[in-house]
Amino acid sequence: TQLLEQSPQFLSIQEGENLTVYCNSSSVFSSLQWYRQEPGEGPVLLVTVVTGGEVKKLKRLTFQFGDARKDSSLHITAAQPGDTGLYLCAGDGSGTYKYIFGTGTRLKVLA
Amino acid sequence: DSGVTQTPKHLITATGQRVTLRCSPRSGDLSVYWYQQSLDQGLQFLIQYYNGEERAKGNILERFSAQQFPDLHSELNLSSLELGDSALYFCASSVPRREQFFGPGTRLTVL
């Protein structure tokens, strides 16, 4: 069974701090996506990473795909209260039709 | 706006009742996914359809069923409702095995 484990599960930080969220698996993924979900709303796609070692930047967010395509990280620089939400990594289960979501990281940024 | 629509937005019903949730995918997307999200929990994959055919099943209860129609809209039927079925239900659509685009969700409350 393919799993995507995220860490930490919960994170509460002060505005202006930096943080990194990790998404790990023992399986290879052809691509990974990161989503952010705000309370009561559907997840919104942030980025897709496809190539091993790939780094993508979205303003203060930096996403990296591991060289072996088994893990990914999300780094937020100078976090703001608007970054608060549930962050989910996800990817296609190789050899199956299932699309797998990670366990989630719930981030709270305090003003 | 993701392009995925869901109706109704809110639904309040009693235990033992049956409800139908509706989803219209983004134009051109053949895959539709259903997810359940209980309070402060992650996304639980229920079922996936591709062009009218069931493609993958997750943790979907036997009391729940779904279908995708020729016009690609999908319905999720929940019957013999229990208090524990209260949750947000999300529909997502995609090109197969790629990033998903989520609807705004239906909040189901079972009293």
Side-chain angles (χ1 to χ4, degrees), chain B residues 72-94:
Chain B
L72 301 179
H73 91 272
S74 179
E75 292 181 357
L76 178 67
N77 300 295
L78 314 177
S79 61
S80 302
L81 285 168
E82 302 175 359
L83 296 178
D85 297 328
S86 294
L88 272 166
Y89 290 84
F90 289 104
C91 166
S93 74
S94 79

Side-chain angles (χ1 to χ4, degrees), chain A residues 30-31 33 35 37 39-45 48 50 86 88 92-99 101 103 106, chain B residues 9 33 35 37 39-43 45 48 55-58 88 90 96-105 107:
Chain A
S30 59
S31 69
Q33 286 76 45
Y35 297 80
Q37 183 182 21
E41 300 182 8
V44 174
L45 178 69
T48 295
V50 178
L86 176 66
L88 296 159
D92 66 300
S94 297
T96 76
Y97 293 107
K98 290 188 178 180
Y99 188 75
F101 276 88
T103 48
R106 199 167 293 278
Chain B
K9 189 165 179 61
Y33 309 76
Y35 295 88
Q37 188 175 41
L39 189 63
D40 291 336
Q41 298 294 309
L43 288 168
F45 169 68
Q48 177 199 353
R55 183 57 65 90
K57 249 183 179 178
L88 272 166
F90 289 104
R97 300 179 66 188
R98 291 301 304 273
E99 55 268 22
Q100 299 184 3
F101 294 86
F102 284 77
R107 182 177 294 280

Side-chain angles (χ1 to χ4, degrees), chain A residues 7-63:
Chain A
S7 62
Q9 189 176 359
F10 299 97
L11 192 55
S12 181
I13 61 172
Q14 292 294 130
E15 182 177 3
E17 292 184 8
N18 301 333
L19 67 118
T20 302
V21 176
Y22 299 94
C23 172
N24 295 298
S25 175
S26 58
S27 305
V28 175
F29 286 80
S30 59
S31 69
L32 275 179
Q33 286 76 45
W34 284 91
Y35 297 80
R36 180 171 67 213
Q37 183 182 21
E38 299 188 23
E41 300 182 8
V44 174
L45 178 69
L46 295 174
V47 78
T48 295
V49 286
V50 178
T51 306
E54 181 178 5
V55 176
K56 280 192 174 178
K57 292 194 174 185
L58 184 66
K59 297 183 181 177
R60 292 175 295 99
L61 278 60
T62 302
F63 304 86

